[in-house]
Amino acid sequence: MPEQVHIHPKVERQLCTMESSTNAPSIAADRARKIILALIEGQRTESSGRLQAKADTRVKNSCKFNLGAGYRLICIRTKKIFYVMHVGDHESCDVWLNNHSKKSPHKTEIQMKTFSVQCCRKKTNCTMDGPVQRFRETAFDNDDPCLQPIPQEYLRKVFKGLVAG
């Protein structure tokens, strides 16, 4: 299991651009953020998102997550570090892979955001450090009225049979 997750600075800009669009790009950006968060929390790559069935041979140790509607998240996995390198539609990912073919794009001088994977043996004991919490807060805005907490009085009315027991 990797000990760190490094996120390329362009990924955050790409996600913001996708989120400002409507429909498929914003949904794909939300899925990408969930996958990145799952990786930071220490989940296995197979359980954190829909991993492409076929490994891409253009960039060594790369893996692609299918975000739906033709969008992909490209990562590179080493023994101790998981690099999140690119997110975008199928064409931009294909161009990125062609441009970095037979290279090591994760070995760069560019300063990447680094998160320590801090997950204990039991999922209930996972701890989140400050940067991870900030990533979670930027990943999922609480401005959406659907994500606001539901008052207890409404819950008691809806689930009256369960509470009355």
Side-chain angles (χ1 to χ4, degrees):
M1 174 189 287
E3 297 171 1
Q4 292 182 336
V5 176
H6 292 217
I7 303 174
H8 198 280
K10 286 186 179 180
V11 171
E12 187 62 38
R13 287 189 298 249
Q14 293 163 341
L15 288 172
C16 289
T17 302
M18 289 169 60
E19 287 170 339
S20 65
S21 301
T22 57
N23 297 333
S26 63
I27 293 169
D30 183 48
R31 288 179 182 162
R33 287 196 187 274
K34 286 179 183 177
I35 289 171
I36 294 168
L37 190 61
L39 293 172
I40 291 170
E41 289 176 345
Q43 294 181 17
R44 292 189 355 238
T45 54
E46 298 82 20
S47 61
S48 44
R50 290 187 342 194
L51 200 59
Q52 290 289 107
K54 237 183 189 181
D56 202 299
T57 58
R58 291 177 275 189
V59 177
K60 187 177 180 183
N61 296 326
S62 68
C63 59
K64 293 190 292 187
F65 289 94
N66 184 353
L67 304 175
Y71 287 87
R72 308 280 185 269
L73 175 68
I74 300 174
C75 301
I76 298 173
R77 183 182 178 150
T78 63
K79 287 184 180 181
K80 297 194 180 232
I81 302 173
F82 208 95
Y83 297 91
V84 180
M85 300 301 293
H86 184 80
V87 64
D89 61 1
H90 182 71
E91 282 186 35
S92 72
C93 289
D94 200 41
V95 167
W96 189 90
L97 286 167
N98 285 335
N99 288 343
H100 295 90
S101 180
K102 307 298 180 202
K103 297 177 185 172
S104 298
H106 59 288
K107 295 179 182 175
T108 180
E109 298 293 322
I110 297 173
Q111 185 68 31
M112 296 189 197
K113 264 188 195 174
T114 303
F115 296 97
S116 294
V117 176
Q118 296 190 7
C119 192
C120 307
R121 300 238 184 253
K122 295 179 184 174
K123 284 191 175 185
T124 56
N125 292 337
C126 290
T127 58
M128 304 259 297
D129 59 353
V132 175
Q133 186 62 33
R134 283 193 294 278
F135 181 80
R136 180 184 291 261
E137 290 166 0
T138 58
F140 310 105
D141 282 338
N142 290 333
D143 296 339
D144 188 358
C146 296
L147 297 177
Q148 298 302 320
I150 300 171
Q152 286 291 321
E153 61 187 61
Y154 294 133
L155 291 173
R156 291 185 189 280
K157 286 179 184 177
V158 172
F159 298 108
K160 188 176 185 178
L162 295 174
V163 176

